[in-house]
Amino acid sequence: MVKQGKQEVESGYKPPLKAKVENLAAYDVIFVGTPIWWYTIASPVATFLAESDLAGKTIIPFCTHGGYGAGHSLEDIKKLAPKSRVLDELVLDGSKTYAQKEIYAWLSKVGFGE
Ligand SMILES: Cc1cc2nc3c(=O)[nH]c(=O)nc-3n(C[C@H](O)[C@H](O)[C@H](O)COP(=O)(O)O)c2cc1C
């Protein structure tokens, strides 16, 4: 699977998605979560960003990784959604546990504090 993911990422493959987000137009702010695959977003997430009309929307990215960090995921999200405002990414190491207050601190930073 890791090998297939490498091929997908390196070739820029955008796998077809089984489900579409209904009434995306109704949302101004979209949280986009992804596992990191080969230093960037997973290919199905790339499909979503490439196929969706996200112009004028705010994207709030978050990712999990296996120990090597977020790579160039944020830059790649910005490239795939050039007409969106892309905020700071929450980067989580998939092997660690995080306190709820750390997540809340990030939510506050991106404007969704309590
Ligand atoms: C195809 C593939 C590529 C991956 N590439 C990376 C990577 O470049 N850096 C990294 O830290 N972790 C990498 N991982 C580990 C995943 O980021 C990690 O397993 C994931 O964030 C955990 O979330 P999940 O349980 O939803 O998969 C990769 C995993 C897969 C399947």
Coordinates of all heavy atoms in Angstrom, one line a residue, residues 3 7 13 15 20 27 29-30 32 37 46 51-52 56 63 66 70 72 75-76 83 96 99 101 108 111 113:
K3 N 3.8 1.5 -1.2 CA 4.4 1.5 -2.6 C 3.4 2.1 -3.6 O 3.7 3.0 -4.4 CB 4.8 0.1 -3.0 CG 6.0 0.1 -3.9 CD 6.5 -1.3 -4.0 CE 6.8 -1.7 -5.4 NZ 7.1 -3.1 -5.6
Q7 N 3.6 5.6 -5.9 CA 3.3 5.8 -7.3 C 2.2 6.8 -7.5 O 2.3 7.7 -8.4 CB 2.9 4.5 -7.9 CG 4.1 3.5 -8.1 CD 3.6 2.1 -8.3 OE1 2.4 1.8 -8.3 NE2 4.6 1.2 -8.6
Y13 N -1.5 11.2 -9.5 CA -2.7 10.4 -9.8 C -3.9 11.0 -8.9 O -3.6 11.2 -7.7 CB -2.5 9.0 -9.5 CG -3.8 8.1 -9.6 CD1 -4.5 8.0 -10.8 CD2 -4.2 7.4 -8.5 CE1 -5.6 7.2 -10.9 CE2 -5.4 6.6 -8.6 CZ -6.1 6.5 -9.8 OH -7.2 5.8 -9.8
P15 N -7.3 9.7 -7.8 CA -8.3 8.6 -7.8 C -9.7 9.1 -7.8 O -10.0 10.1 -7.1 CB -8.0 7.8 -6.6 CG -7.3 8.7 -5.6 CD -6.6 9.7 -6.5
K20 N -19.4 12.3 -3.3 CA -19.2 13.7 -3.4 C -19.8 14.5 -2.2 O -20.8 14.0 -1.7 CB -19.9 14.2 -4.7 CG -19.4 13.6 -6.0 CD -18.8 14.8 -6.9 CE -18.2 14.3 -8.2 NZ -17.1 13.4 -8.1
Y27 N -21.0 26.0 2.3 CA -20.0 26.1 3.3 C -18.9 27.2 3.0 O -18.4 27.2 1.9 CB -19.3 24.8 3.6 CG -20.2 23.7 4.1 CD1 -20.9 22.9 3.2 CD2 -20.5 23.6 5.4 CE1 -21.9 22.0 3.7 CE2 -21.4 22.7 5.9 CZ -22.1 21.9 5.0 OH -23.0 20.9 5.5
V29 N -16.3 27.7 5.2 CA -15.1 27.2 5.9 C -15.0 25.7 5.8 O -16.0 25.0 6.2 CB -15.0 27.7 7.4 CG1 -13.8 27.1 8.1 CG2 -15.1 29.2 7.5
I30 N -13.9 25.1 5.4 CA -13.9 23.7 5.2 C -12.6 23.2 5.9 O -11.5 23.6 5.6 CB -13.8 23.3 3.7 CG1 -15.1 23.8 3.1 CG2 -13.7 21.8 3.6 CD1 -15.0 23.7 1.6
V32 N -10.0 20.4 6.2 CA -9.6 19.3 5.3 C -8.5 18.5 6.0 O -7.4 19.0 6.3 CB -9.0 19.9 4.0 CG1 -8.4 18.8 3.1 CG2 -10.1 20.6 3.2
W37 N 1.1 11.2 3.0 CA 1.6 10.1 2.1 C 2.8 10.7 1.3 O 2.6 11.7 0.6 CB 0.6 9.7 1.1 CG -0.5 8.8 1.6 CD1 -0.8 8.5 2.9 CD2 -1.5 8.1 0.8 NE1 -1.9 7.6 3.0 CE2 -2.4 7.4 1.7 CE3 -1.8 8.1 -0.5 CZ2 -3.4 6.7 1.3 CZ3 -2.9 7.3 -0.9 CH2 -3.7 6.6 0.0
A46 N -6.2 15.0 -2.7 CA -5.8 15.8 -3.8 C -7.0 15.8 -4.8 O -7.3 16.9 -5.4 CB -4.6 15.3 -4.5
E51 N -11.1 18.8 -7.6 CA -12.4 18.8 -8.3 C -13.4 19.7 -7.7 O -14.5 19.9 -8.3 CB -13.0 17.3 -8.2 CG -12.2 16.4 -9.1 CD -12.8 15.0 -9.1 OE1 -13.7 14.7 -8.2 OE2 -12.4 14.1 -9.9
S52 N -13.2 20.2 -6.5 CA -14.2 21.0 -5.8 C -14.0 22.5 -6.2 O -12.9 23.0 -6.3 CB -14.1 20.8 -4.3 OG -14.2 19.5 -4.0
G56 N -12.8 31.3 -2.9 CA -13.4 32.2 -1.9 C -13.6 31.6 -0.6 O -14.0 32.2 0.4
C63 N -3.4 17.3 9.6 CA -2.8 16.1 9.0 C -2.3 15.2 10.1 O -1.9 15.7 11.2 CB -1.7 16.4 8.0 SG -0.2 17.1 8.7
G66 N 3.5 9.7 10.1 CA 4.1 8.6 10.8 C 5.5 8.9 11.4 O 6.2 8.0 11.7
A70 N 4.9 17.1 8.3 CA 3.9 17.4 7.3 C 4.4 17.5 5.9 O 3.6 17.7 4.9 CB 3.2 18.7 7.7
H72 N 5.5 18.8 2.4 CA 5.1 20.0 1.7 C 3.6 20.0 1.5 O 3.1 20.5 0.5 CB 5.8 20.1 0.4 CG 6.1 18.8 -0.3 ND1 5.2 18.2 -1.2 CD2 7.1 17.9 -0.3 CE1 5.7 17.1 -1.7 NE2 6.8 16.9 -1.1
E75 N 1.9 23.6 1.2 CA 2.1 24.2 -0.1 C 1.3 23.5 -1.2 O 0.7 24.2 -2.0 CB 3.6 24.1 -0.5 CG 4.6 24.9 0.4 CD 5.1 24.1 1.6 OE1 4.3 23.3 2.1 OE2 6.2 24.4 2.1
D76 N 1.2 22.2 -1.1 CA 0.4 21.5 -2.1 C -1.1 21.7 -2.0 O -1.7 21.8 -3.0 CB 0.7 20.0 -2.0 CG 2.2 19.7 -2.4 OD1 2.8 20.6 -3.0 OD2 2.7 18.6 -2.1
K83 N -7.5 29.6 -5.1 CA -8.4 30.7 -4.9 C -9.0 30.7 -3.5 O -10.0 31.4 -3.2 CB -9.5 30.7 -6.0 CG -9.0 31.0 -7.4 CD -10.1 31.0 -8.4 CE -9.5 31.3 -9.7 NZ -10.4 30.9 -10.8
K96 N 1.5 9.6 18.5 CA 1.5 10.2 19.8 C 0.0 10.5 20.2 O -0.9 10.5 19.4 CB 2.2 11.6 19.7 CG 3.7 11.4 19.6 CD 4.4 12.7 19.7 CE 5.9 12.6 19.6 NZ 6.5 13.8 19.1
A99 N -3.2 16.2 24.1 CA -4.2 16.7 25.1 C -5.3 17.5 24.3 O -5.0 18.2 23.3 CB -3.6 17.5 26.1
K101 N -6.5 20.2 25.1 CA -6.2 21.6 25.1 C -5.3 22.0 24.0 O -5.3 23.1 23.5 CB -5.7 22.0 26.5 CG -4.4 21.5 26.9 CD -3.9 22.2 28.2 CE -2.5 21.7 28.4 NZ -2.0 21.9 29.8
S108 N -8.4 27.7 18.4 CA -8.5 29.2 18.8 C -7.6 30.0 17.8 O -8.1 31.0 17.3 CB -7.9 29.4 20.2 OG -8.8 29.0 21.1
G111 N -9.3 30.6 14.7 CA -10.6 31.3 14.8 C -11.8 30.5 15.2 O -12.9 31.0 15.1
G113 N -12.1 29.2 18.5 CA -12.0 28.9 19.9 C -13.4 28.9 20.6 O -14.4 29.3 20.0

